[in-house]
């Protein structure tokens, strides 16, 4: 039988009934807000999502701008760093930014633990609009929060570099401390970390951990304490520096 017999899982319904009939109409672009039902297969979603975008563009005959909303924070916050289906799906969404004319609204800070449909749609729309202004209309604006670029290791510190810094990095916290970072050695066991903004970089460490090799940020279903932003008030996209095997990698 069908794995999931809800109406949206019925074969042919979503594409044949809802996309195919409008292909002869011109469109300016697409906004996609989905991923929750694929959360257990984050690694597969990298292929699935990109192929869908490419397929739609082929059908319409041009590379129209495509924007999406990254999964919000949801469910009970984790007590300690651990694997996360929702983090893996968010990563698949971020990876898809490698396709041309795409943008992502990160909403890691406006979800609700007990509601898969968070109420604050105005901020979601605002962040999507910023991405559209940048990607579709070519405006020279800060449209995204910090995005992880690279790391170096110095002693017990891992130093992270970012793009989309805007006018500067900041901790959205009245004490000015960054939260939501974890760090691991080669044994792949993550522990909570301290993180300090140093100019355009972030220094991450844990006094009890020598020879760290990897950092993760906001890597949880609900990283409720994640507070890393740029000064434009846009949240950093969750990330990991490692390429260790994911829960969803078969």
């Amino acid at each position: 039988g069908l794995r999931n017999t809800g109406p949206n899982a019925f074969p042919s319904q979503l594409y044949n009934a809802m996309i195919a009939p409008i292909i002869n109409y011109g469109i300016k672009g697409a906004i996609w807000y989905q991923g929750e039902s694929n959360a257990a297969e984050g690694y597969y979603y990298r292929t699935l999502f990109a192929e869908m975008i490419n397929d739609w563009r082929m059908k319409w005959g041009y590379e129209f701008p495509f924007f999406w909303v990254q999964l919000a924070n949801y469910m009970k916050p984790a007590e300690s760093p651990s694997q996360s289906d929702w983090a893996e799906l968010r990563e698949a969404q971020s990876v898809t930014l490698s396709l041309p004319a795409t943008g992502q609204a990160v909403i890691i800070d406006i979800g609700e633990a007990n509601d898969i449909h968070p109420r604050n749609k105005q901020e979601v729309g605002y962040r999507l609009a910023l991405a559209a202004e940048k990607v579709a209309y070519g405006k020279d604006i800060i449209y995204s929060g910090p995005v992880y670029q690279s790391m170096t290791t110095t002693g017990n510190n891992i130093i992270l570099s970012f793009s989309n810094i805007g006018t500067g990095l900041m901790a959205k916290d009245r004490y000015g401390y960054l939260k939501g970072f974890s760090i691991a050695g080669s044994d792949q066991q993550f522990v909570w970390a301290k993180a300090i903004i140093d100019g355009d970089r972030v220094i991450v460490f844990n006094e009890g951990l020598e020879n760290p090799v990897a950092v993760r940020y906001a890597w949880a279903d609900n990283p409720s304490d994640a507070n890393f932003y740029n000064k434009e008030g846009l949240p950093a996209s969750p990330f990991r520096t490692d390429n260790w095997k994911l829960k969803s990698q078969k």
Side-chain angles (χ1 to χ4, degrees):
L2 288 172
R3 179 176 64 163
N4 173 354
T5 51
N8 290 336
F10 192 79
S12 81
Q13 165 129 346
L14 295 178
Y15 181 78
N16 286 358
M18 299 169 75
I19 301 300
I22 63 171
I23 285 171
N24 290 331
Y25 294 92
I27 61 169
K28 290 288 283 183
I31 290 173
W32 181 258
Y33 193 150
Q34 188 273 340
E36 295 83 356
S37 60
N38 294 93
E41 44 195 18
Y43 195 73
Y44 171 58
Y45 197 83
R46 296 174 181 218
T47 312
L48 191 69
F49 189 35
E51 284 183 351
M52 188 196 77
I53 295 170
N54 287 332
D55 180 64
W56 286 13
R57 286 173 166 175
M58 192 175 71
K59 295 290 197 314
W60 262 277
Y62 81 108
E63 212 170 68
F64 57 79
F66 196 106
F67 305 101
W68 61 86
V69 182
Q70 193 188 64
L71 287 188
N73 49 312
Y74 176 56
M75 295 179 286
K76 188 172 182 282
E79 295 292 317
S80 55
S82 55
Q83 293 194 325
S84 160
D85 285 342
W86 280 51
E88 293 187 15
L89 195 287
R90 288 186 199 110
E91 181 176 78
Q93 292 174 307
S94 295
V95 164
T96 308
L97 289 168
S98 62
L99 292 182
T102 52
Q104 169 173 264
V106 174
I107 61 163
I108 200 69
D109 53 340
I110 51 180
E112 295 165 45
N114 58 357
D115 190 349
I116 203 166
H117 299 290
R119 301 278 195 278
N120 184 354
K121 295 294 191 288
Q122 190 165 350
E123 186 66 24
V124 179
Y126 171 69
R127 293 176 190 176
L128 282 166
L130 287 178
E133 287 191 323
K134 174 75 174 186
V135 175
Y137 296 100
K139 289 193 180 177
D140 185 18
I141 56 166
I142 309 301
Y143 69 104
S144 161
V147 174
Y148 168 70
Q149 251 188 337
S150 62
M151 64 162 268
T152 55
T153 309
T154 310
N156 293 347
N157 296 333
I158 289 181
I159 299 160
L160 306 173
S161 298
F162 299 88
S163 58
N164 293 300
I165 288 164
T167 50
L169 303 176
M170 74 171 199
K172 200 171 180 182
D173 179 276
R174 59 186 172 181
Y175 301 110
Y177 297 120
L178 282 176
K179 295 171 184 164
F181 285 83
S182 58
I183 195 166
S186 55
D187 63 357
Q188 305 189 12
Q189 299 302 305
F190 282 88
V191 291
W192 296 125
K194 292 184 179 172
I196 296 162
I197 293 170
D198 179 30
D200 286 346
R201 302 181 307 170
V202 172
I203 301 168
V204 187
F205 61 96
N206 178 306
E207 285 100 341
L209 180 68
E210 292 181 18
N211 306 316
V213 299
V215 165
R216 293 181 175 182
Y217 170 70
W219 196 266
D221 297 340
N222 186 357
S224 57
D225 57 351
N227 68 345
F228 179 33
Y229 288 71
N230 59 22
K231 288 183 178 166
E232 279 63 29
L234 295 167
S237 192
F239 66 89
R240 62 183 179 132
T241 66
D242 61 276
N243 60 357
W244 295 333
K245 191 171 178 184
L246 295 170
K247 195 175 162 188
S248 60
Q249 258 175 289
K250 297 293 183 268

